[in-house]
Structures are given as C-alpha cells and as structure tokens.
Amino acid sequence: MSLGKYATGSPVRMGYEYVPEVDAWLRLHIEPAIWPDARLRCHLEGGALASPTTSAMSNAMLAMLAANKLTMRHAYIGVHALISKGDFMSMDGIPMANLSVRWREGEPNNVKNEEDCVVLDGVGEAIDVGCNTPRPYFCHKKSEKMIVNTHCGTTAEGYKFEPRTGSCYKFHRVSRTWHRAAMACQAEGGHLAVINSNEEAQVLKDIFGRNPSTTIKRGDSRWASVGIWDWNEYGEFLTIFGETLSEAGYEGWHQNEPNNAGGKEFCGTIDRSGSLNDYPCNLLVPFICEITL
Ligand code: MAN
Ligand code: CA
C-alpha cells in the first residue's frame, strides 16, 4: 500500500516488532526524548512505555538495543517513581520486584534525590536516572491495538476516508496545545490537517459539525487546530509543510482574522464555519489530523 508522501509511519505498524511470547508489539524509539515526552509519545501511538514484564519481553528489549547501534546503549523503560517517590513500578503498576529485571549493583542510588525514572542498559540491568535527559525509549502496544485500518494505512482508531479529497481524517476531542496536537497526529502516522481547497475546508467544517461542543474534552470547543503555523517568525502563516496559504490552496480567514489577539496568536485553527483563525499555541483546543494517501 502506498502511504503517501507525508506518511511518517510507513510501514503501517510504525517500527513495532511482534513479540510472540507476550502477544504484544515492541518499538525502540531511537530519537531521544525526555521521559515525560516519551510517555506521551507511546500513549499517542496507542501504547505505553514498555517494561521488562517477562523474560521474553526483557530479551526482546535487549535484542533491539543490540541491533540498534546507539551511542547511548540505554533506553527509558516504563518503570518510574513519579507517582509515589521511591516506589518504582511499571506503567501498569507492577512493582519493580515483580518485573523481569534487576538493578545494576549500587542502583537505585537516587542521586540528588532526582532519579525517578529508569533505563535498561545493554546487559539487562536497570539504573535509576533523572527523567529530564533525552534518551531512546521503548513503547509497547497490545495486539488488539494493532488492527490495521487498511483504507487509511494506520493502526490508529478513528480515521475515516473522505472521497471528496481522497484523504483520511480524524477529529480529536481531547483538547491539546497546538504542538502536542501535531505530535498526536504524527504518532498516528498523519499530520495536522492541511487545507488545500475550499472543498477541503468544507470537509473539515462538516467533521467539526459532527463533534458538537458538548463532546469536546476541556479546551475551547469553538476552534480546532489545523496545520498552519507562523514558524516562530511572528508574522506570516505557512502550512506545516512550509507553503504559503495561497500555494496550499486555501486562505479563508474569518473576517478580521488573523488579528493576533493579545499579541500571542501564532498557531492556526478553524472555527465552526470552516474559516481560519489565529490562536494561542499553548491553549487547549480539539484538533483534526489528516492522513494524505
Ligand atoms: C476572539 C477573537 C479571535 C481570537 C479568540 C481568542 O474570538 O478575537 O480572533 O483568536 O478570541 O480566544
Ligand atoms: Ca485570532
């Protein structure tokens, strides 16, 4: 299947490998992230930060670490003590003592009382570390979350093909900041929706209409983030692919927009009429992802 020029996640399973003994899928993310971002990324991929729950899982993790020639032969696992300091547990609450991993000698040592996260090293030992150093990390997904939407080329739930534009779209009702929204779309193999025609604006308006304000979780339900941004230049809005709005094919700003209200509106949304509005990047709004086929 062709996943289109913007698909980040080809193949469809996005770098996940099946671990038969645990009937789950495992991915080593080699681009380092701080633990909180790693947790979010795994969650947005439909999984969670992985932990060596069984020896099969531990072996699969070590094999992946060995196969990837990382400078840093350490990767974050789901074990943390962020909820109850000193009580290390996996993302699903299994205490460290019941996992298939041992502490390296002298660990955990909680240097400066700042080591609430855990890495797995190349020989299968655990080390407590600070959570704010970027490192590779492991995500896992249950098999039932790996069902492929063959039409849209993703395992993410909720994407629907739209014949009027030939793309798939998903409306996210859980509001996020603009950059987190972009991350959520990427994690699903898509991108924030880019409007390339009046017809596509109509499509997004229709999708927005099927998600009335009562269904939106937190955030301002009058707007939904889309893929336009000013790239921190505090002026001109471009698409997330760097095109001007005129090159992209839709410049339908709402009347008197963009108005840079309060001097801090540098991200792009649409309103319920399908018109564009500049909006603060750090406020919570729902958003629309697109998979360009
Ligand atoms: C009003 C208008 C918009 C602005 C929002 C921010 O609706 O000024 O331009 O983006 O407020 O909440
Ligand atoms: Ca505005």
Side-chain angles (χ1 to χ4, degrees), residues 257-261 265 277-279:
E257 304 290 352
N259 66 347
N260 194 18
E265 299 201 307
N277 175 34
D278 58 342
Y279 196 77

Side-chain angles (χ1 to χ4, degrees), residues 14 18 39-40 48 53-54 67 71 97 105 109 114 120 129 147 167-168 220 225-226 239 268 282 288:
M14 301 196 47
Y18 186 59
R39 183 210 60 82
L40 178 60
T53 44
T54 66
T71 326
E105 200 180 325
N109 58 358
E114 281 172 2
L120 185 69
V129 294
I147 296 161
S167 283
C168 292
D220 196 325
S225 287
V226 293
T239 73
N282 60 346
I288 304 173

